[in-house]
Amino acid sequence: MANRDFKDVQALEREVKILAFTLSGLDGTVAATPSTGITSLAESSGDYTITLDDKYSSLLCAQVTLGATDGDCDLTQAHINSEDVDGAKTVVIDTAGTAAATDRLHVVLYLKNSSVT
């Protein structure tokens, strides 16, 4: 699985890894800040595909929050459409509405790094 220097997290589940980042440029060239753990980003018809650097056993939970630097988000909805973190290393976020230059998606992924119980 992921071969990185992860920091300790207090969790009842073993081997929980957290990736947290903000997606910007939703109306054009998508960027993640910070981009640690992310290989690439792509947008197609309001779907944002995040390709991770590493494979994980499973996606335990994901949180996506809408935001905008001007306080007025043009997107009306965002949710995880699909995920394949143990194969293609992808998470796809589906959105509704037309993204503006000021719109942001704040994303937190809780991933299980191994099958250790």
Side-chain angles (χ1 to χ4, degrees):
M1 291 293 150
N3 187 18
R4 297 183 177 277
D5 179 26
F6 285 100
K7 308 305 180 234
D8 292 334
V9 173
Q10 297 294 316
L12 292 176
E13 187 78 43
R14 288 182 184 220
E15 292 294 320
V16 175
K17 307 305 178 191
I18 300 170
L19 295 179
F21 50 91
T22 298
L23 297 180
S24 60
L26 303 180
D27 64 334
T29 304
V30 184
T33 305
S35 61
T36 305
I38 298 172
T39 299
S40 65
L41 301 163
E43 186 275 334
S44 177
S45 302
D47 286 352
Y48 298 91
T49 301
I50 302 158
T51 303
L52 305 173
D53 286 344
D54 303 295
K55 289 184 180 182
Y56 296 89
S57 293
S58 62
L59 176 66
L60 297 173
C61 181
Q63 179 181 356
V64 181
T65 306
L66 299 170
T69 56
D70 66 356
D72 184 24
C73 189
D74 291 344
L75 293 175
T76 58
Q77 189 179 84
H79 67 274
I80 301 299
N81 189 36
S82 64
E83 58 87 10
D84 183 11
V85 296
D86 63 339
K89 304 186 291 187
T90 58
V91 175
V92 179
I93 299 173
D94 183 34
T95 61
T98 302
T102 57
D103 288 354
R104 304 285 186 264
L105 291 176
H106 305 284
V107 182
V108 181
L109 303 176
Y110 297 88
L111 301 146
K112 185 158 175 77
N113 193 41
S114 74
S115 58
V116 175
T117 56

XYZ file of all heavy atoms in Angstrom:
855
model
N 0.834 -1.178 0.000
C 0.000 0.000 0.000
C 0.885 1.250 0.000
O 2.037 1.177 -0.341
C -0.931 -0.024 1.208
C -1.987 -1.104 1.141
S -3.101 -0.719 -0.194
C -3.621 -2.293 -0.711
N 0.336 2.355 0.422
C 1.063 3.625 0.373
C 2.364 3.535 1.174
O 2.373 3.064 2.300
C 0.193 4.747 0.929
N 3.441 3.972 0.569
C 4.746 3.926 1.206
C 5.197 5.355 1.473
O 6.027 5.900 0.762
C 5.743 3.192 0.307
C 7.062 2.975 1.001
O 7.157 3.056 2.210
N 8.089 2.711 0.225
N 4.627 5.959 2.500
C 4.906 7.342 2.842
C 5.103 7.471 4.340
O 4.746 6.600 5.107
C 3.762 8.248 2.415
C 3.554 8.273 0.936
C 2.451 9.257 0.590
N 2.290 9.326 -0.827
C 3.042 10.070 -1.626
N 3.975 10.825 -1.148
N 2.849 10.060 -2.923
N 5.617 8.610 4.767
C 5.775 8.905 6.180
C 4.513 9.606 6.677
O 4.446 10.826 6.724
C 7.001 9.801 6.396
C 7.196 10.159 7.859
O 6.747 9.395 8.720
O 7.790 11.213 8.119
N 3.472 8.819 7.030
C 2.230 9.379 7.532
C 2.362 9.709 9.013
O 3.097 9.045 9.750
C 1.081 8.386 7.344
C 0.607 8.283 5.925
C 1.016 7.233 5.120
C -0.244 9.230 5.390
C 0.579 7.129 3.819
C -0.691 9.137 4.090
C -0.281 8.083 3.298
N 1.651 10.715 9.456
C 1.636 11.118 10.858
C 0.535 10.359 11.591
O -0.442 9.915 10.996
C 1.406 12.635 10.981
C 2.354 13.460 10.138
C 3.815 13.152 10.427
C 4.727 13.986 9.568
N 5.692 13.247 8.810
N 0.677 10.230 12.904
C -0.299 9.492 13.701
C -1.650 10.204 13.752
O -1.715 11.426 13.826
C 0.208 9.312 15.133
C 1.415 8.394 15.200
O 1.556 7.553 14.300
O 2.207 8.524 16.143
N -2.715 9.400 13.715
C -4.084 9.890 13.857
C -4.757 8.993 14.877
O -4.597 7.775 14.849
C -4.849 9.812 12.512
C -6.315 10.153 12.708
C -4.228 10.740 11.495
N -5.489 9.577 15.801
C -6.219 8.797 16.782
C -7.527 8.316 16.164
O -8.418 9.109 15.878
C -6.500 9.645 18.022
C -5.255 10.094 18.748
C -4.496 8.926 19.344
O -5.087 8.036 19.942
N -3.182 8.930 19.188
N -7.633 7.025 15.917
C -8.834 6.453 15.322
C -9.012 5.032 15.831
O -8.027 4.348 16.130
C -8.721 6.449 13.800
N -10.250 4.588 15.939
C -10.512 3.205 16.336
C -10.164 2.246 15.203
O -9.760 1.111 15.439
C -11.969 3.038 16.755
C -12.361 3.768 18.040
C -13.845 3.612 18.309
C -11.553 3.264 19.220
N -10.306 2.687 13.985
C -9.938 1.904 12.803
C -8.435 2.015 12.599
O -7.862 3.094 12.695
C -10.685 2.472 11.585
C -10.530 1.681 10.327
C -11.395 0.443 10.288
O -12.570 0.534 10.681
O -10.892 -0.597 9.859
N -7.765 0.906 12.320
C -6.310 0.940 12.089
C -5.989 1.447 10.691
O -6.761 1.273 9.765
C -5.719 -0.457 12.252
C -5.685 -0.915 13.665
C -5.033 -2.271 13.725
N -5.087 -2.754 15.082
C -4.102 -3.401 15.667
N -3.008 -3.652 15.010
N -4.225 -3.798 16.901
N -4.798 2.041 10.590
C -4.245 2.461 9.301
C -5.145 3.434 8.536
O -5.336 3.308 7.336
C -3.924 1.247 8.431
C -2.779 0.412 8.940
C -1.444 1.140 8.894
O -1.170 1.849 7.921
O -0.685 0.996 9.867
N -5.701 4.411 9.240
C -6.506 5.449 8.605
C -5.580 6.558 8.099
O -4.735 7.054 8.852
C -7.558 6.033 9.569
C -8.301 7.198 8.929
C -8.533 4.957 10.012
N -5.735 6.907 6.845
C -4.957 7.987 6.230
C -5.937 9.069 5.796
O -7.023 8.777 5.296
C -4.163 7.490 5.018
C -3.297 6.276 5.312
C -2.349 6.504 6.466
C -1.551 5.250 6.761
N -0.823 5.338 8.015
N -5.556 10.313 5.987
C -6.437 11.441 5.665
C -5.761 12.319 4.624
O -4.624 12.745 4.804
C -6.747 12.279 6.921
C -7.433 11.416 7.980
C -7.612 13.482 6.545
C -7.549 12.085 9.327
N -6.466 12.564 3.536
C -6.023 13.528 2.528
C -7.043 14.665 2.529
O -8.238 14.432 2.335
C -5.961 12.903 1.137
C -4.946 11.786 0.918
C -5.040 11.262 -0.514
C -3.552 12.259 1.216
N -6.584 15.871 2.764
C -7.460 17.047 2.789
C -6.885 18.092 1.850
O -5.687 18.376 1.892
C -7.572 17.600 4.203
N -7.743 18.650 0.996
C -7.286 19.626 0.006
C -8.467 20.442 -0.498
O -9.629 20.099 -0.269
C -6.584 18.924 -1.169
C -7.371 17.779 -1.749
C -8.252 17.967 -2.794
C -7.220 16.503 -1.227
C -8.977 16.921 -3.319
C -7.944 15.435 -1.740
C -8.823 15.644 -2.793
N -8.153 21.534 -1.164
C -9.164 22.389 -1.775
C -8.958 22.384 -3.280
O -7.841 22.574 -3.763
C -9.052 23.832 -1.243
O -9.299 23.814 0.167
C -10.053 24.750 -1.916
N -10.052 22.147 -4.019
C -10.005 22.223 -5.475
C -10.438 23.616 -5.909
O -11.489 24.110 -5.489
C -10.939 21.191 -6.111
C -10.618 19.726 -5.853
C -11.635 18.832 -6.562
C -9.215 19.382 -6.291
N -9.635 24.243 -6.738
C -9.963 25.559 -7.301
C -9.819 25.484 -8.815
O -9.416 24.457 -9.356
C -9.029 26.625 -6.725
O -7.686 26.310 -7.032
N -10.151 26.564 -9.500
C -10.101 26.564 -10.960
C -11.153 25.657 -11.562
O -10.953 25.066 -12.617
N -12.285 25.538 -10.887
C -13.333 24.605 -11.306
C -13.956 24.971 -12.646
O -14.594 24.134 -13.283
C -14.421 24.519 -10.228
C -13.945 24.111 -8.831
C -15.123 24.072 -7.870
C -13.213 22.791 -8.858
N -13.763 26.208 -13.084
C -14.309 26.647 -14.363
C -13.290 26.526 -15.490
O -13.541 26.953 -16.610
C -14.795 28.096 -14.267
C -13.660 29.064 -13.999
O -12.633 28.645 -13.423
O -13.792 30.243 -14.369
N -12.144 25.927 -15.219
C -11.096 25.818 -16.231
C -10.090 24.767 -15.848
O -10.392 23.587 -15.802
N -8.882 25.191 -15.513
C -7.824 24.272 -15.123
C -7.893 24.021 -13.624
O -7.578 24.889 -12.820
C -6.439 24.854 -15.495
O -6.430 25.139 -16.889
C -5.345 23.862 -15.178
N -8.294 22.806 -13.256
C -8.489 22.449 -11.853
C -7.138 22.259 -11.161
O -6.219 21.665 -11.726
C -9.321 21.158 -11.729
C -9.607 20.831 -10.276
C -10.616 21.279 -12.511
N -7.038 22.773 -9.936
C -5.822 22.628 -9.140
C -6.208 22.242 -7.720
O -7.282 22.604 -7.232
C -5.036 23.933 -9.129
N -5.329 21.500 -7.055
C -5.535 21.110 -5.662
C -4.485 21.770 -4.792
O -3.314 21.828 -5.152
C -5.443 19.600 -5.510
N -4.935 22.288 -3.641
C -4.026 22.899 -2.680
C -4.336 22.337 -1.299
O -5.467 22.475 -0.845
C -4.204 24.428 -2.647
O -4.052 24.925 -3.973
C -3.179 25.072 -1.742
N -3.415 21.689 -0.614
C -2.140 21.217 -1.145
C -2.383 20.045 -2.074
O -3.451 19.428 -2.046
C -1.379 20.782 0.104
C -2.441 20.379 1.076
C -3.603 21.289 0.788
N -1.390 19.718 -2.874
C -1.557 18.631 -3.852
C -0.831 17.355 -3.423
O -0.738 16.413 -4.200
C -1.048 19.080 -5.216
O 0.327 19.398 -5.146
N -0.376 17.316 -2.189
C 0.306 16.132 -1.669
C -0.628 14.919 -1.737
O -1.756 14.978 -1.262
C 0.742 16.360 -0.212
O 1.535 17.532 -0.155
C 1.516 15.174 0.325
N -0.153 13.846 -2.347
C -0.947 12.619 -2.448
C -1.800 12.545 -3.695
O -2.483 11.547 -3.915
N -1.782 13.597 -4.527
C -2.610 13.644 -5.730
C -1.712 13.647 -6.963
O -0.821 14.476 -7.090
C -3.512 14.887 -5.733
C -4.455 14.839 -4.535
C -4.295 14.989 -7.033
C -5.258 16.085 -4.329
N -1.974 12.710 -7.874
C -1.207 12.604 -9.114
C -1.742 13.546 -10.175
O -0.985 14.263 -10.824
C -1.247 11.162 -9.658
O -0.655 10.300 -8.693
C -0.492 11.041 -10.972
N -3.074 13.546 -10.351
C -3.657 14.398 -11.389
C -5.115 14.702 -11.090
O -5.758 14.041 -10.282
C -3.536 13.731 -12.768
O -4.311 12.538 -12.801
N -5.617 15.727 -11.785
C -7.011 16.157 -11.683
C -7.539 16.345 -13.091
O -6.818 16.807 -13.975
C -7.109 17.487 -10.932
C -6.570 17.499 -9.514
C -6.346 18.925 -9.049
C -7.548 16.793 -8.588
N -8.801 16.004 -13.286
C -9.431 16.201 -14.593
C -10.894 16.571 -14.385
O -11.515 16.151 -13.409
C -9.324 14.943 -15.443
N -11.425 17.365 -15.309
C -12.841 17.772 -15.254
C -13.517 17.384 -16.558
O -12.950 17.526 -17.635
C -12.953 19.287 -15.051
C -14.368 19.780 -14.831
C -15.151 20.036 -16.123
O -14.518 20.318 -17.153
O -16.390 19.943 -16.098
N -14.729 16.853 -16.449
C -15.530 16.525 -17.621
C -17.001 16.645 -17.258
O -17.493 15.892 -16.418
C -15.219 15.102 -18.099
O -16.052 14.761 -19.186
N -17.679 17.614 -17.854
C -19.121 17.818 -17.650
C -19.513 17.917 -16.183
O -20.505 17.332 -15.752
C -19.916 16.701 -18.329
O -19.626 16.647 -19.700
N -18.736 18.638 -15.385
C -19.061 18.830 -13.976
C -18.609 17.700 -13.075
O -18.872 17.721 -11.879
N -17.932 16.689 -13.645
C -17.347 15.619 -12.842
C -15.853 15.893 -12.701
O -15.164 16.114 -13.698
C -17.534 14.250 -13.502
C -18.958 13.742 -13.414
O -19.779 14.362 -12.714
O -19.240 12.710 -14.047
N -15.361 15.859 -11.463
C -13.952 16.114 -11.189
C -13.310 14.804 -10.751
O -13.671 14.254 -9.712
C -13.801 17.195 -10.115
C -14.399 18.499 -10.573
C -15.723 18.810 -10.306
C -13.652 19.393 -11.321
C -16.291 19.994 -10.760
C -14.208 20.584 -11.780
C -15.531 20.873 -11.500
O -16.080 22.039 -11.959
N -12.390 14.292 -11.568
C -11.710 13.034 -11.267
C -10.376 13.321 -10.609
O -9.526 14.013 -11.174
C -11.495 12.199 -12.551
O -12.769 11.933 -13.139
C -10.796 10.882 -12.227
N -10.213 12.776 -9.413
C -8.986 12.932 -8.637
C -8.251 11.599 -8.703
O -8.800 10.563 -8.305
C -9.308 13.275 -7.171
C -10.139 14.552 -7.110
C -8.041 13.376 -6.341
C -10.932 14.701 -5.838
N -7.033 11.622 -9.226
C -6.215 10.414 -9.254
C -5.171 10.533 -8.147
O -4.428 11.514 -8.099
C -5.528 10.225 -10.621
O -6.541 10.187 -11.641
C -4.719 8.934 -10.656
N -5.167 9.556 -7.269
C -4.278 9.560 -6.110
C -2.911 8.983 -6.460
O -2.783 8.184 -7.392
C -4.913 8.748 -4.981
C -6.332 9.166 -4.563
C -6.900 8.177 -3.561
C -6.336 10.572 -4.018
N -1.893 9.377 -5.704
C -0.542 8.847 -5.899
C -0.460 7.361 -5.551
O 0.301 6.621 -6.161
C 0.471 9.582 -5.017
C 0.800 10.978 -5.511
O 0.498 11.305 -6.674
O 1.363 11.751 -4.705
N -1.225 6.952 -4.557
C -1.111 5.597 -4.018
C -2.455 4.884 -4.021
O -3.513 5.510 -4.011
C -0.606 5.657 -2.568
C 0.716 6.375 -2.451
O 1.709 5.852 -2.992
O 0.754 7.462 -1.848
N -2.384 3.548 -3.984
C -3.584 2.736 -3.805
C -3.868 2.599 -2.319
O -2.953 2.605 -1.492
C -3.377 1.338 -4.390
C -3.318 1.306 -5.894
C -3.206 -0.121 -6.381
C -3.146 -0.140 -7.900
N -3.095 -1.512 -8.420
N -5.149 2.475 -1.974
C -5.581 2.264 -0.597
C -6.551 1.098 -0.581
O -7.201 0.803 -1.588
C -6.257 3.526 -0.050
C -5.306 4.702 0.034
C -5.149 5.568 -1.047
C -4.546 4.930 1.176
C -4.259 6.637 -0.981
C -3.656 5.992 1.246
C -3.522 6.845 0.157
O -2.642 7.889 0.227
N -6.687 0.444 0.564
C -7.600 -0.697 0.674
C -9.040 -0.294 0.420
O -9.785 -1.010 -0.242
C -7.501 -1.338 2.058
O -6.250 -1.927 2.230
N -9.435 0.858 0.981
C -10.813 1.306 0.789
C -10.956 2.784 1.154
O -10.112 3.342 1.850
C -11.782 0.478 1.641
O -11.504 0.636 3.014
N -12.028 3.356 0.665
C -12.418 4.718 1.052
C -13.393 4.562 2.207
O -14.483 4.012 2.039
C -13.082 5.440 -0.123
C -13.626 6.838 0.165
C -12.482 7.797 0.477
C -14.431 7.340 -1.032
N -12.994 4.995 3.398
C -13.851 4.867 4.574
C -14.950 5.917 4.578
O -16.096 5.637 4.930
C -13.026 4.993 5.855
C -11.968 3.908 6.078
C -11.112 4.251 7.280
C -12.637 2.556 6.242
N -14.582 7.147 4.191
C -15.533 8.252 4.215
C -14.961 9.398 3.395
O -13.750 9.511 3.234
C -15.746 8.697 5.659
S -16.933 10.038 5.864
N -15.842 10.211 2.866
C -15.408 11.396 2.132
C -16.336 12.544 2.492
O -17.536 12.355 2.702
C -15.446 11.155 0.633
N -15.765 13.726 2.573
C -16.544 14.928 2.841
C -16.202 15.945 1.762
O -15.036 16.225 1.501
C -16.206 15.495 4.208
C -16.954 16.759 4.532
C -16.572 17.304 5.904
O -15.795 16.700 6.635
N -17.106 18.445 6.229
N -17.233 16.477 1.123
C -17.057 17.516 0.107
C -17.930 18.698 0.508
O -19.132 18.551 0.717
C -17.465 17.020 -1.298
C -17.251 18.112 -2.327
C -16.700 15.765 -1.677
N -17.308 19.864 0.632
C -18.023 21.075 1.019
C -17.860 22.126 -0.068
O -16.746 22.353 -0.549
C -17.468 21.628 2.352
O -17.501 20.599 3.331
C -18.274 22.817 2.826
N -18.969 22.750 -0.451
C -18.935 23.828 -1.436
C -18.460 25.119 -0.794
O -18.782 25.391 0.359
C -20.335 24.062 -2.021
C -20.977 22.898 -2.758
C -22.432 23.214 -3.044
C -20.232 22.595 -4.040
N -17.729 25.908 -1.546
C -17.290 27.203 -1.050
C -16.977 28.129 -2.206
O -16.955 27.718 -3.362
N -16.754 29.386 -1.898
C -16.388 30.373 -2.918
C -15.628 31.504 -2.244
O -15.946 31.892 -1.117
C -17.624 30.918 -3.618
N -14.637 32.020 -2.936
C -13.839 33.104 -2.359
C -14.628 34.393 -2.256
O -14.292 35.263 -1.452
C -12.564 33.347 -3.187
O -12.931 33.622 -4.544
C -11.644 32.140 -3.147
N -15.703 34.520 -3.035
C -16.539 35.724 -2.953
C -17.787 35.501 -2.101
O -18.655 36.351 -2.014
C -16.924 36.219 -4.347
C -17.823 35.251 -5.098
O -18.103 34.140 -4.588
O -18.246 35.588 -6.222
N -17.892 34.324 -1.473
C -19.028 34.028 -0.606
C -20.290 33.610 -1.337
O -21.310 33.351 -0.713
N -20.255 33.525 -2.667
C -21.439 33.186 -3.459
C -21.103 32.036 -4.400
O -20.655 32.250 -5.523
C -21.914 34.406 -4.241
C -23.188 34.145 -5.007
O -23.941 33.235 -4.624
O -23.430 34.852 -6.007
N -21.315 30.808 -3.946
C -20.980 29.622 -4.735
C -22.056 29.371 -5.794
O -23.239 29.284 -5.484
C -20.841 28.415 -3.822
S -20.184 26.977 -4.646
N -21.628 29.266 -7.049
C -22.556 28.994 -8.144
C -22.911 27.511 -8.243
O -23.940 27.155 -8.812
C -21.978 29.474 -9.474
C -21.897 30.989 -9.547
O -22.539 31.671 -8.730
O -21.199 31.500 -10.434
N -22.059 26.634 -7.721
C -22.398 25.220 -7.674
C -23.471 25.014 -6.607
O -23.451 25.652 -5.564
C -21.167 24.383 -7.343
C -20.068 24.353 -8.390
C -18.857 23.583 -7.874
C -20.565 23.748 -9.692
N -24.411 24.128 -6.879
C -25.515 23.918 -5.942
C -25.416 22.593 -5.204
O -26.117 22.377 -4.228
C -26.864 23.978 -6.679
O -26.869 22.977 -7.707
C -27.095 25.354 -7.277
N -24.543 21.705 -5.689
C -24.462 20.380 -5.092
C -23.137 19.727 -5.461
O -22.601 19.958 -6.548
C -25.616 19.531 -5.622
C -25.811 18.213 -4.951
C -26.993 17.488 -5.550
O -26.860 16.826 -6.567
N -28.154 17.636 -4.943
N -22.619 18.892 -4.576
C -21.418 18.105 -4.859
C -21.487 16.822 -4.046
O -21.888 16.835 -2.881
C -20.162 18.886 -4.512
N -21.138 15.719 -4.667
C -21.116 14.442 -3.966
C -20.133 13.494 -4.655
O -19.754 13.704 -5.804
C -22.511 13.807 -3.906
C -23.035 13.391 -5.243
N -23.697 14.252 -6.078
C -22.957 12.213 -5.899
C -24.037 13.623 -7.187
N -23.589 12.386 -7.106
N -19.731 12.444 -3.933
C -18.860 11.429 -4.512
C -19.709 10.593 -5.464
O -20.700 9.995 -5.064
C -18.222 10.538 -3.420
C -17.411 11.382 -2.435
C -17.368 9.444 -4.058
C -16.251 12.138 -3.040
N -19.322 10.579 -6.727
C -20.048 9.836 -7.754
C -19.550 8.394 -7.829
O -20.334 7.471 -7.973
C -19.894 10.532 -9.102
C -20.789 9.960 -10.157
O -21.903 9.576 -9.875
N -20.288 9.867 -11.367
N -18.237 8.215 -7.742
C -17.656 6.875 -7.764
C -16.253 6.931 -7.172
O -15.661 7.996 -7.056
C -17.606 6.321 -9.194
O -16.751 7.104 -10.000
N -15.751 5.762 -6.812
C -14.386 5.677 -6.297
C -13.816 4.305 -6.616
O -14.538 3.320 -6.682
C -14.332 5.957 -4.795
C -15.175 5.058 -3.937
C -14.495 3.770 -3.505
O -13.277 3.607 -3.701
O -15.189 2.909 -2.968
N -12.517 4.274 -6.867
C -11.779 3.042 -7.114
C -10.379 3.245 -6.545
O -9.402 3.318 -7.289
C -11.734 2.731 -8.613
C -11.035 1.414 -8.908
O -10.765 0.648 -7.963
O -10.733 1.151 -10.089
N -10.299 3.370 -5.217
C -9.025 3.695 -4.577
C -8.079 2.505 -4.498
O -6.888 2.684 -4.300
C -9.231 4.309 -3.165
C -9.962 5.629 -3.258
C -9.935 3.337 -2.237
N -8.602 1.287 -4.680
C -7.733 0.112 -4.625
C -7.355 -0.404 -6.007
O -6.616 -1.369 -6.133
C -8.374 -0.998 -3.789
C -9.676 -1.511 -4.377
O -10.301 -0.797 -5.183
O -10.075 -2.635 -4.020
N -7.838 0.249 -7.063
C -7.505 -0.159 -8.427
C -6.929 0.989 -9.225
O -5.722 1.178 -9.297
N -7.830 1.781 -9.799
C -7.409 2.921 -10.629
C -6.924 4.109 -9.802
O -6.423 5.084 -10.356
C -8.568 3.361 -11.529
N -7.089 4.054 -8.477
C -6.676 5.122 -7.549
C -7.444 6.420 -7.799
O -6.886 7.500 -7.726
C -5.169 5.379 -7.634
C -4.301 4.170 -7.395
C -2.829 4.500 -7.357
C -2.317 4.909 -8.707
N -0.863 5.087 -8.766
N -8.743 6.307 -8.083
C -9.529 7.494 -8.419
C -10.712 7.696 -7.483
O -11.274 6.754 -6.941
C -10.069 7.423 -9.856
O -10.866 6.242 -9.996
C -8.946 7.418 -10.871
N -11.068 8.975 -7.353
C -12.298 9.402 -6.693
C -12.918 10.429 -7.630
O -12.234 11.341 -8.088
C -12.021 10.046 -5.310
C -13.294 10.586 -4.697
C -11.345 9.050 -4.381
N -14.216 10.262 -7.928
C -14.900 11.181 -8.839
C -15.965 11.953 -8.068
O -16.831 11.360 -7.423
C -15.551 10.439 -10.028
C -16.267 11.420 -10.942
C -14.505 9.640 -10.796
N -15.869 13.288 -8.127
C -16.847 14.163 -7.482
C -17.761 14.715 -8.574
O -17.293 15.279 -9.565
C -16.158 15.323 -6.746
C -15.241 14.785 -5.655
C -17.201 16.286 -6.165
C -14.389 15.837 -4.996
N -19.063 14.535 -8.395
C -20.069 15.049 -9.328
C -20.637 16.341 -8.750
O -20.917 16.417 -7.551
C -21.176 14.019 -9.515
C -22.217 14.462 -10.515
O -21.870 15.143 -11.497
O -23.405 14.133 -10.308
N -20.796 17.352 -9.583
C -21.358 18.623 -9.133
C -22.573 18.997 -9.971
O -22.742 18.515 -11.091
C -20.319 19.764 -9.230
O -19.920 19.913 -10.595
C -19.120 19.492 -8.352
N -23.400 19.846 -9.414
C -24.547 20.403 -10.126
C -24.392 21.916 -10.145
O -23.917 22.516 -9.180
C -25.850 20.007 -9.438
N -24.788 22.522 -11.240
C -24.622 23.963 -11.412
C -23.419 24.227 -12.300
O -22.692 23.320 -12.674
N -23.207 25.485 -12.630
C -22.074 25.875 -13.460
C -21.053 26.582 -12.582
O -21.345 27.622 -11.996
C -22.533 26.814 -14.598
O -23.533 26.134 -15.371
C -21.366 27.177 -15.499
N -19.865 26.012 -12.510
C -18.828 26.554 -11.635
C -18.340 27.913 -12.115
O -18.171 28.138 -13.307
C -17.652 25.591 -11.556
N -18.127 28.810 -11.169
C -17.534 30.115 -11.444
C -16.063 30.071 -11.038
O -15.623 29.163 -10.332
C -18.266 31.202 -10.656
N -15.306 31.064 -11.477
C -13.876 31.128 -11.168
C -13.610 31.185 -9.662
O -12.555 30.754 -9.200
C -13.251 32.338 -11.851
N -14.563 31.697 -8.901
C -14.373 31.850 -7.453
C -14.811 30.623 -6.644
O -14.573 30.564 -5.446
C -15.158 33.072 -6.948
O -16.529 32.896 -7.294
C -14.617 34.352 -7.566
N -15.461 29.649 -7.298
C -15.957 28.468 -6.590
C -14.816 27.550 -6.163
O -13.783 27.448 -6.834
C -16.926 27.677 -7.462
C -18.259 28.378 -7.642
O -18.474 29.429 -7.007
O -19.097 27.877 -8.416
N -15.019 26.876 -5.037
C -14.043 25.941 -4.486
C -14.774 24.694 -3.994
O -15.931 24.764 -3.599
C -13.306 26.546 -3.285
C -12.607 27.866 -3.551
C -11.344 27.651 -4.358
N -10.563 28.866 -4.522
C -10.633 29.665 -5.580
N -11.463 29.410 -6.561
N -9.861 30.732 -5.659
N -14.078 23.567 -4.008
C -14.550 22.350 -3.361
C -13.520 21.987 -2.301
O -12.336 21.812 -2.602
C -14.684 21.194 -4.356
C -15.784 21.289 -5.396
C -15.703 20.106 -6.360
C -17.155 21.335 -4.746
N -13.959 21.913 -1.063
C -13.093 21.515 0.041
C -13.336 20.021 0.259
O -14.473 19.608 0.495
C -13.411 22.320 1.296
C -13.330 23.796 1.057
N -12.132 24.457 0.954
C -14.293 24.722 0.857
C -12.357 25.747 0.721
N -13.662 25.920 0.662
N -12.280 19.227 0.147
C -12.416 17.768 0.139
C -11.568 17.150 1.246
O -10.411 17.528 1.445
C -11.963 17.194 -1.231
C -12.138 15.680 -1.263
C -12.707 17.862 -2.379
N -12.156 16.189 1.960
C -11.422 15.384 2.930
C -11.737 13.922 2.620
O -12.906 13.527 2.573
C -11.829 15.704 4.389
C -11.013 14.854 5.360
C -11.661 17.180 4.690
N -10.679 13.140 2.394
C -10.827 11.709 2.135
C -10.228 10.937 3.297
O -9.089 11.184 3.695
C -10.100 11.311 0.842
C -10.507 12.041 -0.431
C -9.615 11.602 -1.592
C -11.972 11.819 -0.756
N -11.001 10.018 3.857
C -10.531 9.132 4.915
C -10.337 7.769 4.271
O -11.305 7.152 3.820
C -11.550 9.044 6.054
C -11.777 10.367 6.738
C -12.740 11.264 6.275
C -11.028 10.728 7.853
C -12.940 12.486 6.901
C -11.231 11.943 8.483
C -12.188 12.827 7.999
O -12.384 14.023 8.622
N -9.090 7.325 4.215
C -8.745 6.122 3.482
C -8.145 5.070 4.408
O -7.426 5.401 5.346
C -7.732 6.458 2.390
C -8.220 7.508 1.376
C -7.098 8.385 0.900
C -8.927 6.821 0.238
N -8.438 3.810 4.124
C -7.832 2.710 4.879
C -6.623 2.253 4.086
O -6.719 1.931 2.913
C -8.812 1.566 5.076
C -8.258 0.479 5.953
C -9.371 -0.329 6.559
C -8.837 -1.497 7.349
N -8.322 -1.131 8.637
N -5.466 2.246 4.747
C -4.206 1.977 4.068
C -3.912 0.491 3.900
O -3.164 0.129 3.017
C -3.044 2.646 4.829
C -1.786 2.661 3.999
O -1.808 2.916 2.812
N -0.669 2.383 4.639
N -4.473 -0.360 4.740
C -4.175 -1.789 4.622
C -5.337 -2.600 5.163
O -6.300 -2.066 5.684
C -2.896 -2.137 5.387
O -3.148 -2.136 6.765
N -5.210 -3.891 5.025
C -6.269 -4.779 5.508
C -6.024 -5.228 6.944
O -6.689 -6.126 7.431
C -6.371 -6.009 4.597
O -5.123 -6.668 4.562
N -5.058 -4.617 7.630
C -4.777 -4.949 9.033
C -6.012 -4.647 9.891
O -6.598 -3.580 9.772
C -3.567 -4.146 9.564
C -3.364 -4.393 11.045
C -2.326 -4.489 8.777
N -6.402 -5.582 10.746
C -7.568 -5.355 11.619
C -7.161 -5.268 13.066
O -6.071 -5.561 13.447
C -8.597 -6.487 11.456
O -7.961 -7.720 11.723
C -9.173 -6.476 10.064
